[in-house]
Amino acid sequence: MIKPIITLIVLFCLLPVAFAKTYQVTADDNLQVVLDSVSDGDVVSLASGEYLGNFVLRHAITLIGNNTATINAGGQGHALQIKNSDILIENLTIINWGSDLTEQNAGIYSDKQANNLIIRNNKLQGDGFGIWLQDGKHIKVEGNEIEGNTKLRSADRGNGIQLSKVEYVEVIGNTVSKTRDGLYIIASQNNILKNNIMHDLRYGIHYMYSHSNQVLDNLAYNTRAGYALMSSRKLIVSGNESRDSEDYGFLMNFITYSNISHNRIKNVWTKPENKVMGRDGKGLFIYNSGYNTISYNSIDTAEIGIHLTAGSENVKIFGNSFINNPVQVKYVSNREQEWSHNGIGNFWSNYLGWDLNNDGRGDTPFEPNDGIDKLVWLYPEAKVLLDSPAILMLRWIQKQFPVLKPAGVKDSFPLMTVPSAPGHHALDKIMPKNNQAAG
């Protein structure tokens, strides 16, 4: 008797799958009517053509196209609005949604705690936000291409992918360009941003008020800032690249208890037409951020390699490479800051010391700044005097009488060659095992 009962239970559990239907839809059909008439678990397959309108997904379905099925929102509202969990959206072209940022107009929009979503391999082009996700969990956004409208000012465009109050979201392998920011994350935790490409933006990745997230192996180029990390904690930012940015490779503002490692920053230079006093390209700009580890990063050809200010202390800085930066370090401190850890310092391309015992470390400490540098930072107009005999004499006096030199950055173990870092992501934390999206 027990065996028939178990069999009936199994069959009952399989009923939704057994009765799932596939709807073949053409551009001549009323797509919204079809979406409203389907049942959970069904598949809606769109043939090639243009589907004009603003469509709402109220059932747990798969909506799939072949990249030639185009959702055209007609220049207003959301193109696709998600109002249920367990939805897959794949291989669609989505265009021409609204531009009202106050109304959060988006190509794909969800703000109703929809969970277990997959948004994969879609192409989106429009004015407002590309993909807006809010209050959901266990979501995967993968392999999408999102492009904004360069006819609008940057400030008037939406962000490519916006995550707000979400958890356990994986954003992997997407390409975002010409929106305002590429990936914008606010008030969210336990998420992974990995292998995304972002270019021609204000900020590639922008973090606000979030914690316990991972930013891994992304590429940002042609931005004002490759990575803008603000008011967040417990971030793991590793293996990323920022190149050809104008203001910052990495901007850290009130970031705490985070690990910034194995990142590559190249060419941070303010355009001549945008030059004003005090605006210089900074590889790493660290403002009011403490208790972080900054290790094994490469900062190459930035106007200022690393700039720390506003109480950015209690930071471990070691294993980094500072290469071809006219100003390697800008940091005004009231006490000496040691930039090495367990005998490992940093590589400085302008270090002129020797390594007589061949241990790979310089025999004398490296101090990138002196009192003259700090005087120029306080009074930028004094730059015109840097090559004058009086300034050269002051620098010589500081070297002869170190007691006259103010406190600042000191690397007691400068590296003679660019370091070979430990295994990539060696310090990364493992995401919780329940970080699973549907499908």
Side-chain angles (χ1 to χ4, degrees):
M1 183 66 182
I2 295 177
K3 187 174 180 181
I5 292 175
I6 294 175
T7 303
L8 286 172
I9 293 173
V10 172
L11 288 173
F12 180 79
C13 293
L14 292 176
L15 278 175
V17 176
F19 287 98
K21 296 180 180 179
T22 297
Y23 291 79
Q24 301 290 344
V25 182
T26 72
D28 294 327
D29 298 322
N30 188 319
L31 177 56
Q32 189 60 62
V33 169
V34 175
L35 294 174
D36 289 339
S37 64
V38 299
S39 300
D40 290 349
D42 286 346
V43 176
V44 177
S45 179
L46 303 187
S48 298
E50 185 171 82
Y51 298 79
L52 184 63
N54 308 97
F55 301 102
V56 181
L57 307 182
R58 298 184 175 87
H59 300 279
I61 63 168
T62 293
L63 179 64
I64 189 168
N66 56 7
N67 284 325
T68 59
T70 300
I71 304 291
N72 184 339
Q76 61 183 3
H78 313 302
L80 289 177
Q81 186 170 6
I82 296 171
K83 291 194 172 183
N84 207 330
S85 297
D86 303 299
I87 288 175
L88 166 63
I89 300 172
E90 186 172 28
N91 293 339
L92 298 175
T93 296
I94 301 172
I95 63 172
N96 198 24
W97 57 89
S99 60
D100 191 331
L101 303 186
T102 302
E103 294 297 322
Q104 303 167 0
N105 289 168
I108 299 175
Y109 183 81
S110 172
D111 69 341
K112 299 297 183 184
Q113 293 185 323
N115 304 321
N116 302 312
L117 306 177
I118 297 178
I119 301 171
R120 184 167 60 202
N121 296 337
N122 302 286
K123 296 180 180 180
L124 299 93
Q125 183 175 22
D127 295 349
F129 300 91
I131 298 173
W132 177 293
L133 300 174
Q134 184 169 318
D135 290 322
K137 296 182 179 179
H138 307 295
I139 299 171
K140 185 171 289 186
V141 181
E142 183 175 14
N144 302 282
E145 297 180 20
I146 302 170
E147 183 176 336
N149 182 2
T150 56
K151 294 180 180 179
L152 299 174
R153 294 186 313 150
S154 174
D156 294 332
R157 307 173 205 166
N159 301 314
I161 298 173
Q162 175 124 354
L163 306 180
S164 176
K165 296 185 288 184
V166 298
E167 291 187 76
Y168 306 113
V169 175
E170 298 179 8
V171 180
I172 300 175
N174 302 278
T175 300
V176 183
S177 65
K178 302 172 186 175
T179 58
R180 182 173 56 197
D181 297 339
L183 314 182
Y184 182 91
I185 300 89
I186 185 168
S188 299
Q189 61 192 44
N190 298 316
N191 305 295
I192 297 178
L193 312 182
K194 185 174 182 179
N195 289 332
N196 300 286
I197 298 175
M198 303 148 293
H199 62 92
D200 296 287
L201 306 157
R202 182 183 66 167
Y203 302 150
I205 290 179
H206 189 178
Y207 259 99
M208 293 290 293
Y209 309 112
S210 299
H211 69 86
S212 305
N213 293 284
Q214 297 188 55
V215 183
L216 309 175
D217 303 322
N218 301 283
L219 168 62
Y221 63 93
N222 292 346
T223 63
R224 284 185 57 190
Y227 302 81
L229 313 175
M230 303 182 183
S231 302
S232 299
R233 57 188 170 89
K234 295 183 179 180
L235 302 180
I236 294 175
V237 183
S238 184
N240 303 283
E241 182 173 355
S242 174
R243 62 171 187 254
D244 301 319
S245 56
E246 185 169 2
D247 292 330
Y248 312 100
F250 280 70
L251 164 63
M252 298 170 59
N253 179 5
F254 198 52
I255 297 297
T256 56
Y257 302 103
S258 295
N259 188 320
I260 315 298
S261 67
H262 303 87
N263 302 289
R264 300 170 302 283
I265 301 170
K266 176 79 171 179
N267 293 335
V268 188
W269 219 271
T270 302
K271 295 176 182 177
E273 61 269 24
N274 295 331
K275 271 289 186 184
V276 294
M277 186 70 70
R279 183 177 181 182
D280 302 294
K282 301 171 179 66
L284 276 169
F285 181 63
I286 304 174
Y287 182 89
N288 195 25
S289 299
Y291 305 97
N292 301 300
T293 297
I294 300 172
S295 62
Y296 296 103
N297 303 286
S298 173
I299 301 95
D300 186 344
T301 317
E303 290 180 270
I304 299 174
I306 181 171
H307 183 183
L308 295 91
T309 188
S312 297
E313 298 180 354
N314 297 303
V315 179
K316 294 179 181 178
I317 300 178
F318 63 94
N320 303 285
S321 299
F322 296 92
I323 304 169
N324 298 328
N325 306 302
V327 177
Q328 299 278 42
V329 177
K330 183 175 180 179
Y331 187 19
V332 178
S333 175
N334 294 324
R335 59 188 178 91
E336 186 174 285
Q337 301 293 317
E338 177 59 50
W339 282 14
S340 66
H341 181 64
N342 292 336
I344 300 174
N346 304 274
F347 173 78
W348 308 90
S349 61
N350 59 333
Y351 177 65
L352 301 177
W354 299 89
D355 179 20
L356 297 178
N357 61 356
N358 293 316
D359 67 352
R361 299 176 296 190
D363 296 330
T364 58
F366 180 73
E367 299 179 70
N369 306 129
D370 59 19
I372 303 303
D373 294 324
K374 296 175 182 179
L375 181 66
V376 170
W377 298 337
L378 292 172
Y379 305 101
E381 299 83 358
K383 282 184 178 180
V384 297
L385 303 175
L386 284 178
D387 294 325
S388 68
I391 293 296
L392 295 176
M393 177 62 72
L394 285 173
R395 290 192 190 276
W396 181 84
I397 291 172
Q398 283 187 134
K399 291 181 180 178
Q400 303 307 313
F401 302 97
V403 70
L404 300 176
K405 185 175 182 179
V409 170
K410 179 180 179 181
D411 183 347
S412 297
F413 304 98
L415 303 176
M416 300 303 294
T417 60
V418 174
S420 56
H424 186 33
H425 306 327
L427 301 177
D428 292 353
K429 298 176 183 177
I430 298 174
M431 292 294 288
K433 293 184 182 297
N434 63 344
N435 184 21
Q436 300 291 328

